[in-house]
Amino acid sequence: MNIEDLISKIVEDKEEKGDYDSCASEMNVELPQLFNLVSIRIAENFMSGQLSYTDADFAMNGVWPVMLDYIMKNDIPLVEPCYAIYEAFDQGEYDHKDGSDPVEKYTKPLLIEVLANA
């Protein structure tokens, strides 16, 4: 399974924990690196218009609990930039009470910054 296959399964709400392991094994990377690679691809696909905000946000909300489970079991810190990407999408989920579109004002600029440094 490759990253695009995994993202498709996440967006369709059909992914399973074993899918992450399978993808990491096929790519010859550890799970923390996979979390980053998947998150970066989700952000890139959103920024390029290949994924809607709704689908990208849903996908990151799918990656989040898997990453949390992994870091808690392995007693390691939050995986970056996965966490920063999750947080950027989170900023678009609610009204900031400033009259602006939260995706345009908060999510996209944060993603531009994270992707520039990824």
Side-chain angles (χ1 to χ4, degrees):
M1 173 177 305
N2 64 35
I3 288 177
E4 291 298 332
D5 293 336
L6 180 58
I7 291 170
S8 292
K9 288 185 84 171
I10 297 168
V11 169
E12 295 168 6
D13 201 19
K14 295 181 179 177
E15 90 279 8
E16 300 174 3
K17 168 70 171 85
D19 293 335
Y20 290 86
D21 294 325
S22 173
C23 188
S25 176
E26 186 171 312
M27 295 182 67
N28 198 31
V29 298
E30 297 293 322
L31 279 173
Q33 186 178 1
L34 179 69
F35 297 140
N36 284 332
L37 293 170
V38 169
S39 300
I40 289 167
R41 184 69 57 85
I42 290 167
E44 290 172 340
N45 287 355
F46 166 68
M47 294 300 287
S48 70
Q50 294 175 31
L51 279 176
S52 67
Y53 171 80
T54 301
D55 285 344
D57 183 55
F58 185 83
M60 284 308 301
N61 285 330
V63 172
W64 178 246
V66 179
M67 183 192 69
L68 280 182
D69 183 59
Y70 181 85
I71 67 169
M72 290 174 69
K73 286 180 180 174
N74 292 280
D75 195 28
I76 62 172
L78 288 167
V79 177
E80 291 289 357
C82 181
Y83 177 62
I85 293 170
Y86 169 81
E87 283 288 300
F89 280 105
D90 189 57
Q91 290 296 309
E93 291 179 357
Y94 63 94
D95 183 357
H96 292 254
K97 306 293 185 200
D98 59 7
S100 66
D101 176 344
V103 173
E104 293 297 324
K105 185 170 182 180
Y106 299 100
T107 300
K108 286 183 178 180
L110 288 169
L111 289 176
I112 289 168
E113 181 179 334
V114 170
L115 291 173
N117 295 309

